[in-house]
Amino acid sequence: MSGFSHLDEQGRIRMVDVGDKPVTDRLAVAVAEVHMLPATLAALAAGELPKGNVLTTAHVAGVMAAKRCAELIPLCHSLPLSGVDLSFQLDTDRHCVVIRASCHVRANTGVEMEALTAASVAALTIYDMCKAIDKHMRIDGVRVVEKRGGRSGDFVASDKA
């Protein structure tokens, strides 16, 4: 069981003690995609959805979610985030919104969970605000695409994964 940091010697779950790790600048970027019908994407782009400005609402929801990550994910450390940002790309070829969430922190543990939570909740918000006109939507491709800082080093996802 020693290969799993969240398990103790008896195999019981525990929160990892990161107190001895150095404080470094850390960044994580996560993406998510919300696939929808072409007409839904067109209505979103034109600002013609009945629930209002979808992308602004999703942006706020993503930031709020990143800030509350430790309340949602068991054993996740509470982090003093120094920055959270989200961007949205409307991909008309694939009929989806591509969400990119980046989180920055100066801490002794990584910020990947915050970035993943931000992207996921932003995707859920888009789904919620569009579901009345599109029952075919799906959330897909949630993943970390970049990580900087910390003991394990930098990571940039390849397109092959």
Side-chain angles (χ1 to χ4, degrees):
M1 295 287 179
S2 64
F4 295 100
S5 61
H6 284 78
L7 299 177
D8 67 13
E9 297 78 27
Q10 289 79 39
R12 294 179 302 219
I13 196 162
R14 69 180 176 113
M15 186 172 184
V16 175
D17 185 347
V18 297
D20 291 334
K21 292 173 71 178
V23 171
T24 61
D25 290 318
R26 295 163 185 265
L27 161 77
V29 179
V31 297
E33 300 172 352
V34 183
H35 294 262
M36 57 191 66
L37 296 172
T40 307
L41 189 62
L44 190 154
E48 297 172 349
L49 291 167
K51 289 191 175 184
N53 190 323
V54 173
L55 299 183
T56 297
T57 306
H59 189 229
V60 172
V63 171
M64 290 174 63
K67 291 168 50 174
R68 303 200 63 154
C69 183
E71 296 174 34
L72 301 170
I73 309 295
L75 311 180
C76 190
H77 293 87
S78 179
L79 295 176
L81 295 171
S82 56
V84 177
D85 195 22
L86 286 93
S87 64
F88 303 88
Q89 175 189 357
L90 305 183
D91 186 332
T92 55
D93 293 334
R94 297 186 313 126
H95 316 296
C96 68
V97 178
V98 179
I99 303 158
R100 184 176 177 88
S102 62
C103 293
H104 299 92
V105 70
R106 182 160 175 75
N108 52 1
T109 191
V111 71
E112 297 95 301
M113 294 309 300
E114 287 73 10
L116 286 164
T117 300
S120 297
V121 171
L124 289 168
T125 301
I126 292 169
Y127 185 97
D128 180 53
M129 294 185 75
C130 298
K131 69 183 183 219
I133 63 167
D134 189 347
K135 305 291 189 233
H136 296 93
M137 285 182 298
R138 76 176 191 280
I139 296 169
D140 200 4
V142 179
R143 63 200 179 280
V144 172
V145 295
E146 184 177 352
K147 179 192 107 42
R148 304 241 180 248
R151 187 177 2 190
S152 64
D154 296 347
F155 164 79
V156 176
S158 70
D159 290 341
K160 297 176 173 88

